[in-house]
Amino acid sequence: MKQWMESLYREHRQGLFSYALSILGCPQMAEDAIQNAFTRLHRSSNAVKEMEQQNMVPYVFRCVRNCAVDLQRKHHHQRRLSEGLFESFQQTDNTPSPPDSLLTEERAEMLRAAIDELAESEREVVVLKMFAGLTFEQAGEMAETSPKTMATRYRRALIKLENQLKGQI
Amino acid sequence: MSLNESRSFQSSDVESLLKQMKLRGPSDQLDVVISNLVANDEFAERSVAGGIQFGWTAILATAAAAMLAGVLVGYSFAPISEKVSGSDVATVDLNSSDSDLTSVAFNVKAFNLLHGHSQLAEFDNCNQCHRKVADEDATLKEVFQGWFYGDEHFFESHPDGLADCSKCHVAATVEKDEFAKLVNCSDCHAVDVDGFEGFKRDWHTAASSSEG
């Protein structure tokens, strides 16, 4: 009956978690936010079923955001994004040489810190675009703003990150 | 530093770095919970992390149960003479000169449930959260202003949270060990002579239907 929920969850599991984590900074609370969101969706599944497929993903992300914000307000959780969002630096296929590897780890740490310094709206769009795989259209739908605005925020965020890293390395 | 590193970073470099960052993933337990949710129409809302989720129905029902249980075992609301103990029943010493607390006796279990405190919280040091104000009403310190169950609709309607409880509450009649009564809440609440009769609007239904 509500298989769409599970399939949507499976498809966006990581993205939803990263997004909730970027708001709350605590993995357990992020999972609670997702659970609460899906419980709400479950209760209002008849209304959601009427929704067009393309709007479903932004809607679910918005639910998760609302639940995360609710939890954040309830617990006044002091978050530091970099402590929760990332595990460790991922080695890619073109594994760098040892000296470069050290530098890359440094960059990763700086990047974490730089992400923390972003404005909330900028961090949000980076997480949605980069880690949750949403399009600007979907991110705009979720944030109830235009895709153009989301794209502008994203560009601004990248420039800020770039400048932060430029200044450090 | 090589020439390659000394060149300025560009947006594409940042995107490339971001893509290489390994994201923390959700636990398998969340997968199980969501699967159960999909499989069962009757879903018990509970925390993945094992915490307690507060909803008005659950709060009021459990608080009522806790109060009733307290009455049944003979220690509902203790007389006001002892220090806050952090046990099931706590009271505040009215006459203590070093107390920063308002003179309200309360049942910790019920209080926890109604105010969203952790069941495990100890209340030996209430003045960490509360300060005494001139009208003897309990006012939460700034950092705890939002410590109250409420969804976004609640906070939109109550932007100050519990910053000033006296806006909504009158001081308890201490001698009778009564809880503070709600006042001036008739915009949202149906208030009867005993203080509370329910909500004029079903906030949870409203929240669910307007979710997103």
Side-chain angles (χ1 to χ4, degrees):
Chain A
M1 179 183 164
K2 287 158 181 137
Q3 291 306 313
W4 66 267
M5 277 177 59
E6 187 160 27
S7 105
L8 199 145
Y9 168 75
R10 295 286 171 203
E11 190 178 345
H12 294 279
R13 176 180 178 271
Q14 178 65 63
L16 290 168
F17 180 72
S18 294
Y19 184 44
L21 197 50
S22 76
I23 295 168
L24 290 161
C26 165
Q28 286 76 27
M29 285 175 71
E31 291 192 356
D32 278 353
I34 294 171
Q35 184 190 348
N36 292 350
F38 275 81
T39 305
R40 287 188 189 181
L41 288 166
H42 183 267
R43 286 176 185 153
S44 54
S45 58
N46 287 338
V48 180
K49 264 195 303 192
E50 306 293 317
M51 196 176 290
E52 288 181 39
Q53 190 72 29
Q54 65 195 39
N55 296 330
M56 203 89 86
V57 172
Y59 183 80
V60 172
F61 272 84
R62 197 156 62 215
C63 283
V64 169
R65 179 183 63 176
N66 290 345
C67 289
V69 170
D70 281 352
L71 283 176
Q72 192 183 33
R73 282 167 170 162
K74 276 168 71 178
H75 295 278
H76 277 261
H77 194 75
Q78 296 298 313
R79 68 194 174 83
R80 186 166 178 258
L81 176 67
S82 60
E83 287 173 2
L85 192 56
F86 305 113
E87 278 189 342
S88 58
F89 192 75
Q90 189 177 30
Q91 297 296 321
T92 52
D93 290 339
N94 50 347
T95 307
S97 60
D100 279 353
S101 176
L102 186 65
L103 185 62
T104 307
E105 274 190 40
E106 275 183 304
R107 282 179 182 174
E109 186 50 48
M110 287 168 188
L111 191 56
R112 288 190 183 109
I115 289 172
D116 275 341
E117 295 298 313
L118 290 176
E120 203 169 311
S121 60
E122 293 163 354
R123 185 165 52 238
E124 178 182 58
V125 72
V126 168
V127 171
L128 290 172
K129 176 76 177 158
M130 289 298 300
F131 305 140
L134 264 59
T135 63
F136 288 130
E137 284 75 14
Q138 288 174 319
E141 172 78 21
M142 196 229 68
E144 294 177 309
T145 187
S146 71
K148 198 174 170 185
T149 301
M150 296 307 273
T152 304
R153 284 179 192 168
Y154 181 71
R155 271 201 307 277
R156 196 165 54 222
L158 288 189
I159 289 168
K160 281 189 183 178
L161 294 175
E162 181 190 323
N163 289 337
Q164 286 274 343
L165 293 177
K166 234 190 266 183
Q168 301 285 342
I169 298 177
Chain B
M1 186 176 284
S2 72
L3 280 175
N4 191 42
E5 273 109 40
S6 64
R7 74 174 172 82
S8 293
F9 263 118
Q10 295 170 356
S11 295
S12 58
D13 296 326
V14 175
E15 280 187 310
S16 170
L17 269 182
L18 284 170
K19 280 176 186 165
Q20 291 176 73
M21 301 294 280
K22 187 175 182 185
L23 295 169
R24 187 188 295 271
S27 69
D28 294 342
Q29 200 179 351
L30 180 64
D31 299 345
V32 173
V33 167
I34 300 296
S35 293
N36 288 342
L37 171 61
V38 174
N40 302 305
D41 279 347
E42 294 298 323
F43 180 72
E45 187 173 336
R46 58 185 168 75
S47 166
V48 173
I52 296 171
Q53 299 297 303
F54 293 97
W56 274 111
T57 308
I59 288 169
L60 295 176
T62 321
M67 287 179 192
L68 180 60
V71 169
L72 289 175
V73 297
Y75 59 79
S76 178
F77 293 97
I80 297 170
S81 60
E82 303 162 19
K83 276 284 190 183
V84 174
S85 68
S87 59
D88 286 345
V89 175
T91 57
V92 178
D93 185 356
L94 274 179
N95 302 314
S96 171
S97 58
D98 61 358
S99 173
D100 277 329
L101 300 168
T102 182
S103 49
V104 179
F106 56 88
N107 178 302
V108 170
K109 276 186 180 173
F111 179 83
N112 283 348
L113 290 163
L114 286 164
H115 291 79
H117 279 276
S118 163
Q119 282 290 290
L120 302 174
E122 293 290 334
F123 286 92
D124 293 324
N125 236 341
C126 292
N127 60 357
Q128 285 180 345
C129 312
H130 294 270
R131 62 185 171 81
K132 190 175 179 179
V133 292
D135 62 359
E136 296 287 328
D137 196 3
T139 300
L140 293 168
K141 285 181 178 176
E142 189 175 347
V143 70
F144 294 102
Q145 282 176 10
W147 276 42
F148 185 74
Y149 179 82
D151 58 17
E152 62 194 281
H153 300 280
F154 175 86
F155 283 97
E156 281 168 10
S157 301
H158 303 74
D160 295 328
L162 295 186
D164 183 355
C165 297
S166 61
K167 284 177 186 169
C168 302
H169 294 269
V170 292
T173 306
V174 178
E175 292 77 10
K176 294 180 181 175
D177 296 344
E178 287 179 357
F179 276 117
K181 297 287 193 295
L182 291 165
V183 292
N184 299 327
C185 298
S186 57
D187 283 350
C188 308
H189 302 270
V191 182
D192 66 5
V193 288
D194 292 325
F196 180 80
E197 199 174 46
F199 292 98
K200 284 184 174 176
R201 177 180 165 195
D202 185 339
W203 289 94
H204 289 126
T205 302
S208 297
S209 62
S210 64
E211 182 55 60

